[in-house]
Amino acid sequence: MPLNIIIGAQWGDEGKGRFTDLLAADTDAVGRFSGGDNAGHTVTVGEDVFKLHLIPSGIIHEKAICIIGNGVVMNPAVFIREMDGLIERGIDVGPERLKISRACHIITPAHIALDKAKEMALGTGKIGTTLRGIGPAYMDKIGRSGLRAGLFAHPEALTAAIHAHIEAHNNTLTKIYGAAPLDATAVAAEYAVYAQHLAPHLADASVLLDDYLKAGRAVLAEGAQGTFLDIDHGTYPFVTSSSPTAGGALTGLGIGPKMVGRVIGVCKAFTSRVGSGPFPCEAEGETAVRLRGTGANPWDEYGTTTGRARRVGWLDLVMLRHAGRINSFTDIAITKLDILSGLAEIPVCVAYTLDGERINHFPHSLEELGRCEPVFELLPGWQEDVTGARTWDDLPKAAQNYIEYIAKDTQTPISYVSVGPGRAQVVDSSAIDLLS
Ligand code: GDP
Ligand code: IMO
Ligand code: MG
């Protein structure tokens, strides 16, 4: 069986957790490959809502083992808290089922303090990070001074490494940012306890997943963040510090490209973004409230990790085509179609104008992107509630047209249409030929 990869096609929060859960039913191993607890993935099963930040969303189904890949930066305190929450809900998170790559990097209080200090120093030019220490942890990784999870199996080495790490970062915190120093001894003591908890979970993720793939078992890579938050391909510097794109799945789990089967791009039926940075289709006023919701529903556009109101706008096909190219999407899953019910017409961005000229691509330059104006096509809306749709024929004709329009524009099959957060609220459209 190949490796299937789930990727966010926009700026995150597309519904990747929901689709990981769906596909986990037929999967033997699910691995996170990028980011850390900046992610917030929601899985809704009946009345139960699970919000996962670090542990893969495949954990909710009994079948799959779950792995934190080497590409992740993991905060052990958050990880253990999340494990405890799952244990309370009767979910097996034992070391046979939940594994941590020895090569993934550890987030410390110094990373979190640095994230906060840097954001504060940037003032109005801040990135709008989740303040989880993600950027500083990846800086240490790339700077070859990070702490890896393998240290959890070597308590003395871990203590020495934490001391050196905190002392080095205290220098920056106090001298550059004028922030308070951290107590290295207290942090080392805290991390010694985490190490005891987590050492039994350590594994070589690459070897483990290779064994699975060779044995014909199904492996799923659960993307975090989204294509436009990618450090290389996103709206730099308003991005995260990792590669949440398909290439990142391979380096972040230690699997080669020959093993890849599907690359499923998850895309909201409109667009959302949390944090700062350009957003060509951003809506304001009534349209924004209409798309975001007021916060009354659990699925309204307020961040799972930070609770911040998400910025919203209509669907941007320029972005989706860009994401398709970067990731080689084999197919697309559309989420939140239900939110568009009740509109007379639905604008869809098909191109931009830049200095009076029509362009069909997403510019690299933020300055250019900031000057782009969306070119909208107006598609007919539908009035029916679609949350009960379970087959293609259950969808109103205009909703079918909307999906078909996206498939044709991106030249990519659309395999699923999600019409609500619940596990069953999905239309499998994989048998429908939307391209011809
Ligand atoms: P992720 O980070 O990509 O996993 O997405 P999030 O969980 O952060 O945000 C997606 C939100 O939309 C969650 O509250 C989901 O429960 C919800 N959701 C997912 N699919 C649908 C859908 O088709 N319709 C509605 N109304 N909500 C959905
Ligand atoms: P999921 O997996 C939405 C955004 C932050 C900020 C930028 C940098 O739930 O889709 P960071 O803390 O990573 O240094 O912040 O990236 N961001 C996300 N936005 N969904 C996410 O994850 C995100 N992870 C990071 O809001 O703009
Ligand atoms: Mg999210």
Side-chain angles (χ1 to χ4, degrees):
M1 294 279 272
L3 164 74
N4 293 325
I5 304 174
I6 287 186
I7 295 290
Q10 296 159 315
W11 274 297
D13 303 325
E14 298 89 349
K16 299 173 296 294
R18 179 238 194 298
F19 272 103
T20 303
D21 171 67
L22 196 83
L23 299 185
D26 301 316
T27 298
D28 300 294
V30 179
R32 274 278 308 269
F33 60 83
S34 74
D37 63 310
N38 49 351
H41 293 181
T42 316
V43 176
T44 309
V45 186
E47 295 298 300
D48 283 331
V49 178
F50 297 85
K51 288 182 185 293
L52 296 157
H53 298 282
L54 260 177
I55 295 181
S57 306
I59 204 81
I60 314 297
H61 271 292
E62 279 173 17
K63 185 175 171 190
I65 66 158
C66 288
I67 298 158
I68 299 294
N70 56 276
V72 171
V73 285
M74 70 96 77
N75 179 330
V78 174
F79 193 82
I80 290 170
R81 211 180 310 134
E82 207 155 281
M83 281 172 72
D84 289 345
L86 290 168
I87 291 167
E88 269 175 32
R89 297 170 86 166
I91 291 173
D92 175 13
V93 290
E96 291 309 311
R97 184 159 189 234
L98 180 58
K99 313 273 187 188
I100 302 167
S101 162
R102 287 190 177 85
C104 84
H105 281 244
I106 306 169
I107 293 182
T108 71
H111 293 137
I112 296 169
L114 281 168
D115 200 356
K116 290 181 180 158
K118 285 179 159 200
E119 282 286 90
M120 200 130 66
L122 284 169
T124 50
K126 69 179 181 182
I127 308 292
T129 76
T130 57
L131 303 178
R132 301 298 152 110
I134 305 295
Y138 279 116
M139 281 172 73
D140 272 351
K141 172 177 174 173
I142 301 303
R144 296 163 293 186
S145 55
L147 308 176
R148 304 210 289 180
L151 281 171
F152 290 150
H154 303 281
E156 283 177 19
L158 175 66
T159 298
I162 293 267
H163 269 278
H165 166 87
I166 298 290
E167 276 150 27
H169 284 312
N170 272 347
N171 242 334
T172 317
L173 281 169
T174 55
K175 292 190 184 140
I176 304 213
Y177 295 109
L182 295 161
D183 178 347
T185 306
V187 177
E190 186 188 331
Y191 274 62
V193 177
Y194 300 149
Q196 261 186 340
H197 263 77
L198 296 179
H201 294 262
L202 293 177
D204 185 326
S206 171
V207 171
L208 182 73
L209 292 175
D210 191 50
D211 286 347
Y212 264 65
L213 289 166
K214 282 187 179 139
R217 303 173 85 179
V219 178
L220 183 65
E222 174 180 1
Q225 290 78 57
T227 302
F228 293 84
L229 291 171
D230 185 280
I231 188 75
D232 289 289
H233 303 291
T235 47
Y236 190 91
F238 300 101
V239 291
T240 192
S241 300
S242 68
S243 303
T245 39
L250 304 183
T251 55
L253 289 172
I255 301 177
K258 273 197 299 193
M259 309 311 285
V260 177
R262 293 167 75 186
V263 182
I264 305 158
V266 182
C267 178
K268 230 173 248 188
F270 51 97
T271 310
S272 72
R273 164 163 217 177
V274 211
S276 325
F279 184 166
C281 283
E282 183 164 17
E284 307 212 331
E286 270 175 40
T287 305
V289 175
R290 174 65 182 75
L291 292 174
R292 181 185 302 120
T294 56
N297 305 303
W299 55 82
D300 286 350
E301 297 292 339
Y302 293 82
T304 313
T305 298
T306 56
R308 290 179 288 180
R310 296 179 186 144
R311 300 158 65 194
V312 289
W314 300 113
L315 181 64
D316 187 336
L317 290 174
V318 181
M319 287 177 61
L320 190 54
R321 294 194 296 261
H322 179 91
R325 188 177 68 254
I326 303 288
N327 295 293
S328 283
F329 290 149
T330 54
D331 50 325
I332 290 174
I334 298 288
T335 58
K336 297 193 97 167
L337 189 75
D338 49 305
I339 302 301
L340 300 184
S341 289
L343 295 163
E345 286 179 319
I346 307 175
V348 176
C349 171
V350 293
Y352 302 145
T353 49
L354 176 62
D355 302 332
E357 278 198 30
R358 185 178 167 117
I359 60 166
N360 293 315
H361 66 276
F362 194 82
H364 262 297
S365 146
L366 279 205
E367 191 274 318
E368 279 184 11
L369 194 56
R371 285 191 286 120
C372 281
E373 292 291 333
V375 177
F376 287 114
E377 284 285 313
L378 287 179
L379 302 188
W382 58 93
Q383 302 310 309
E384 297 88 333
D385 174 3
V386 295
T387 54
R390 298 292 177 269
T391 68
W392 180 252
D393 291 337
D394 293 341
L395 291 172
K397 189 81 193 115
Q400 292 179 350
N401 284 345
Y402 188 75
I403 299 298
E404 197 172 337
Y405 190 91
I406 301 169
K408 286 215 165 77
D409 185 273
T410 57
Q411 281 299 295
T412 310
I414 294 180
S415 296
Y416 309 96
V417 181
S418 173
V419 291
R423 202 177 245 178
Q425 289 183 291
V426 65
V427 170
D428 181 340
S429 50
S430 54
I432 312 293
D433 178 9
L434 297 170
L435 294 181
S436 52

